[in-house]
Amino acid sequence: MPDNWKSRVIRDDCSIVLGGEAGQGIRTIEDVLTRVLKLSGYNVFSTREYMSRIRGGVNTTEVRVSSKRVSAFLNRIDILMPLGLGVIPRLERRISRDTFIIGDDEVVGGDLEGYEDQFINAPLTDVASRIGGSIYSNTVAVGIMAGILKAEIGVLEDYLGRLFSAKGLEVVDRNIAAAREGFRIGEELSNSMGLRVELKGNPKVKGELLLSGGEAVALGAAAGGCNFVAFYPMSPSTGISVFLAQHMEELEIIVEQAEDEISAVNMALGAWYAGARAMVPTSGGGFDLMVEGLSLAGMIESPIVIHIGMRPGPATGLPTRTEQADLNIALYSGHGEFPRIILAPGTIEDAFHLTGRAFNLAEKYQVPVIILTDQYLIDSIYNIEGLNLSETTVERHIVETDQGYRRFKFSEDGLSPRGIPGYGRGLVCVDSDEHDEEGHITEDLQVRSRMVEKRLRRLEALKREAIPPQLIGEKDYRVLVVGWGSTYHILREALESMGRDEISLLHFKQVYPLHPSAERYLREAEETIIVEGNATSQFGRLLKAETGLNMNKRLLKYDGLPFAVEEVVEGLEKLTS
């Protein structure tokens, strides 16, 4: 311990960052630590930043553990545990003089210049070597953090036993030994070296759900009646398909990895044509390839659900980081004119319920429904009380056809009864060319005009069923902060910490078509500030196009990282001063 060491107590909310090389197992540490802390009765939140490579570079994960519910990203680091060189320089901007740095000086000593007085040496390498090798360093690290945070050692041992059971008893025993030794070191740091974290546990938290955004999307699809998934791997959406593939038997879903995204979207269209409920998880670059299929869905009035996990582009961009810059392609992609719906979950609960709802909307209105998330939401994990399954129902809108069946029958609301081949005696004919009511190709220009009008008439019904934006804060606001998608918790915590009653938040979880109340909320504000993760304010421009109202000010971010609560507070204070 340095001579000028000052002990400090971290109360109620502790932000921990662990970092190491890609391939060093940082994600495993995150998985174990968040689950053990939750099972010990603490509220947790985690999210990660990682390199798009197999080995090398620096991966980090932030774990927030708190006496109250937490679900937003912070810049502040209370405890940093670097497990390799390069972590401290990479996080330099987030390290303050109050940050405790815990690590093995034999490993990270080269990065410690200027941080000596806030560094605590922990002999991870020696301990791991005595137990069985450096491979156990990560488990020692988990044990140290569990000891500092006063997690339940029995819970940690049980979890490690289950995690490594497939690798044999020796591996289980050595991991438990590593965890115990790390736990002892953590307790010693807490008891004798003045690094104290005081948190209030809650027994109810132990029984709560701990989900990632990606898992919530996958479970929402299952709850919404999805029974076919076609995909081509692409970060950050791949985890959704992998999760569904791992549970395909109990969820009764067929998961197919196609040879490319073009095949995936067309497989999904074929599945819907045959009566299935299909989803295509992808990301921006994959969606680029799916656009022709999206247009085909528009022409044949086929339902389809497409999930886009946004990441920074253009092209490969920053493939493992986050951004909200694919709204425009979701909104305007495809040739010709046809209606669509775009949903943007802001929470784990939203990710579940909106994904389930997407299948009913797609089938009812025979349109593409795009679920727009991002890497930040997909990879964020936090505990929630539960999911109300009664809010998710499977609504089918398939008719039994007769001999006079016309797939594209003209109607006042633009909806034609949707039949599927083999269910009834009618012919279910579809064609990517313009067609008549029966689905046969036509170049009758009067029919063409009527078909265009019929397809677009559904947009009015979609507006009536749109999800209204959520107002958080006082109704008689002067300043209205506008956000959408994954910034929900970040903006909410930022405004709560500012404590300014004249500022309220308007959050959109459906970004197209907009609910009619959006314009009223915007008009009632003296000043509007749009906050979004892109460089050109794509949603602000959409609001202008739909309501005629300009956002007065903008707070934008596009460096590949999510907004931090402190960044939003600082930005809003400047914009409203």
Side-chain angles (χ1 to χ4, degrees):
M1 182 170 62
D3 295 337
N4 57 348
W5 178 264
K6 294 180 181 179
S7 62
R8 186 165 63 90
V9 179
I10 301 168
R11 288 191 173 87
D12 291 328
D13 189 3
C14 183
S15 170
I16 303 159
V17 173
L18 303 109
E21 287 186 4
Q24 199 172 352
I26 300 301
R27 183 168 180 174
T28 301
I29 296 177
E30 176 192 14
D31 288 343
V32 175
L33 195 58
T34 52
R35 279 155 180 78
V36 169
L37 290 170
K38 198 275 295 185
L39 290 170
S40 297
Y42 298 125
N43 293 289
V44 292
F45 164 82
S46 73
T47 191
R48 62 185 72 125
E49 181 213 4
Y50 54 102
M51 298 283 177
S52 56
R53 61 184 75 169
I54 304 301
R55 292 198 66 84
V58 173
N59 288 356
T60 66
T61 183
E62 174 173 309
V63 177
R64 230 180 132 181
V65 53
S66 178
S67 304
K68 61 183 180 181
R69 292 193 182 279
V70 282
S71 40
F73 175 69
L74 294 179
N75 255 338
R76 189 191 79 227
I77 301 177
D78 295 313
I79 301 174
L80 171 62
M81 181 174 274
L83 299 176
L85 284 171
V87 177
I88 294 175
R90 182 167 182 81
L91 297 174
E92 189 174 22
R93 288 186 299 174
R94 296 178 60 191
I95 299 173
S96 74
R97 300 310 298 173
D98 290 330
T99 301
F100 291 98
I101 303 175
I102 303 173
D104 191 330
D105 60 0
E106 291 187 8
V107 176
V108 299
D111 285 343
L112 292 176
E113 184 177 355
Y115 299 101
E116 294 88 349
D117 60 349
Q118 57 195 104
F119 176 72
I120 302 173
N121 183 43
L124 283 87
T125 305
D126 282 349
V127 172
S129 296
R130 278 191 280 109
I131 290 172
S134 58
I135 193 172
Y136 296 102
S137 295
N138 287 355
T139 307
V140 178
V142 170
I144 290 174
M145 293 312 310
I148 292 172
L149 298 168
K150 301 178 181 62
E152 296 178 15
I153 183 63
V155 171
L156 175 57
E157 292 174 355
D158 288 346
Y159 190 82
L160 291 173
R162 283 184 277 118
L163 183 65
F164 294 108
S165 60
K167 296 187 177 182
L169 185 59
E170 181 180 353
V171 173
V172 170
D173 289 344
R174 291 192 177 192
N175 272 284
I176 290 176
R180 285 176 178 164
E181 187 62 15
F183 196 87
R184 183 193 63 75
I185 295 172
E187 285 188 316
E188 183 180 311
L189 292 176
S190 181
N191 294 330
S192 63
M193 298 187 70
L195 171 52
R196 289 172 53 201
V197 181
E198 294 186 355
L199 302 167
K200 297 171 186 172
N202 182 348
K204 291 183 179 178
V205 171
K206 297 181 180 182
E208 292 189 348
L209 291 178
L210 188 66
L211 284 179
S212 71
E215 290 169 340
V217 169
L219 291 172
C226 175
N227 50 19
F228 181 74
V229 170
F231 78 106
Y232 186 77
M234 194 168 194
S235 297
S237 280
T238 306
I240 296 170
S241 302
V242 170
F243 179 89
L244 289 170
Q246 290 170 334
H247 300 279
M248 57 192 294
E249 290 188 8
E250 59 260 48
L251 296 176
E252 298 182 342
I253 295 176
I254 295 172
V255 180
E256 176 73 16
Q257 179 177 331
E259 64 266 36
D260 56 34
E261 286 86 352
I262 298 171
S263 296
V265 72
N266 285 314
M267 283 182 181
L269 287 173
W272 278 102
Y273 176 68
R277 285 161 78 97
M279 180 172 75
V280 190
T282 188
S283 299
F287 184 67
D288 287 345
L289 298 172
M290 296 180 181
V291 170
E292 191 173 18
L294 184 78
S295 297
L296 177 59
M299 175 55 90
I300 65 175
E301 300 180 39
S302 172
I304 188 168
V305 175
I306 300 176
H307 167 270
I308 303 176
M310 291 182 285
R311 66 190 210 185
T316 311
L318 296 172
T320 58
R321 293 179 176 76
T322 200
E323 206 162 74
Q324 289 183 299
D326 289 342
L327 173 58
N328 279 349
I329 190 173
L331 185 62
Y332 300 116
S333 54
H335 48 287
E337 299 168 300
F338 56 96
R340 67 191 71 185
I341 298 171
I342 305 175
L343 306 175
T347 67
I348 297 288
E349 293 91 336
D350 284 350
F352 175 81
H353 290 297
L354 291 184
T355 303
R357 182 186 176 96
F359 289 88
N360 290 338
L361 290 171
E363 182 160 342
K364 181 177 181 180
Y365 295 104
Q366 302 170 33
V367 296
V369 178
I370 298 171
I371 304 163
L372 207 51
T373 69
D374 51 40
Q375 180 268 329
Y376 171 67
L377 180 64
I378 290 291
D379 289 336
S380 289
I381 300 171
Y382 54 87
N383 57 293
I384 59 175
E385 289 186 13
L387 296 167
N388 187 351
L389 300 181
S390 67
E391 294 180 8
T392 301
T393 58
V394 178
E395 301 168 3
R396 301 308 313 255
H397 299 274
I398 294 172
V399 300
E400 184 174 358
T401 60
D402 56 28
Q403 283 189 322
Y405 176 71
R406 289 171 290 169
R407 171 66 186 89
F408 302 103
K409 181 181 179 181
F410 291 122
S411 63
E412 290 188 6
D413 59 5
L415 283 169
S416 308
R418 177 169 165 263
I420 58 173
Y423 184 51
R425 294 184 297 168
L427 174 66
V428 183
C429 180
V430 298
D431 196 309
S432 66
D433 286 74
E434 192 55 273
H435 41 252
D436 59 19
E437 290 181 281
E438 294 180 335
H440 298 302
I441 184 172
T442 182
E443 294 195 34
D444 184 317
L445 302 186
Q446 289 185 335
V447 172
R448 156 67 182 180
S449 295
R450 292 188 67 190
M451 276 296 170
V452 171
E453 292 160 3
K454 174 183 114 64
R455 290 192 286 264
L456 292 178
R457 270 201 296 277
R458 290 171 293 170
L459 187 56
E460 294 306 313
L462 298 184
K463 290 179 180 177
R464 288 193 294 273
E465 197 159 334
I467 301 170
Q470 181 184 1
L471 181 70
I472 299 111
E474 300 295 329
K475 293 181 180 177
D476 57 344
Y477 48 82
R478 185 183 68 78
V479 179
L480 191 62
V481 175
V482 179
W484 61 282
S486 68
T487 57
Y488 174 83
H489 283 301
I490 298 164
L491 294 179
R492 186 162 189 163
E493 183 168 340
L495 292 183
E496 286 173 356
S497 68
M498 291 172 70
R500 293 174 55 176
D501 292 340
E502 82 276 19
I503 306 178
S504 292
L505 168 65
L506 189 67
H507 176 263
F508 287 81
K509 64 176 72 174
Q510 177 167 339
V511 292
Y512 187 81
L514 293 175
H515 189 272
S517 65
E519 182 175 344
R520 174 175 57 81
Y521 283 119
L522 297 176
R523 287 192 182 282
E524 290 178 355
E526 291 181 23
E527 191 171 78
T528 50
I529 302 173
I530 185 87
V531 182
E532 52 183 320
N534 60 64
T536 58
S537 187
Q538 294 183 14
F539 188 55
R541 292 170 184 267
L542 174 60
L543 287 170
K544 171 68 184 301
E546 295 293 311
T547 68
L549 299 172
N550 266 321
M551 298 295 102
N552 300 117
K553 296 175 181 174
R554 304 184 300 178
L555 181 58
L556 308 175
K557 185 172 183 179
Y558 39 88
D559 63 357
L561 295 177
F563 280 103
V565 173
E566 300 96 322
E567 282 179 314
V568 174
V569 171
E570 182 181 356
L572 293 180
E573 293 287 8
K574 286 181 181 177
L575 291 173
T576 57
S577 60

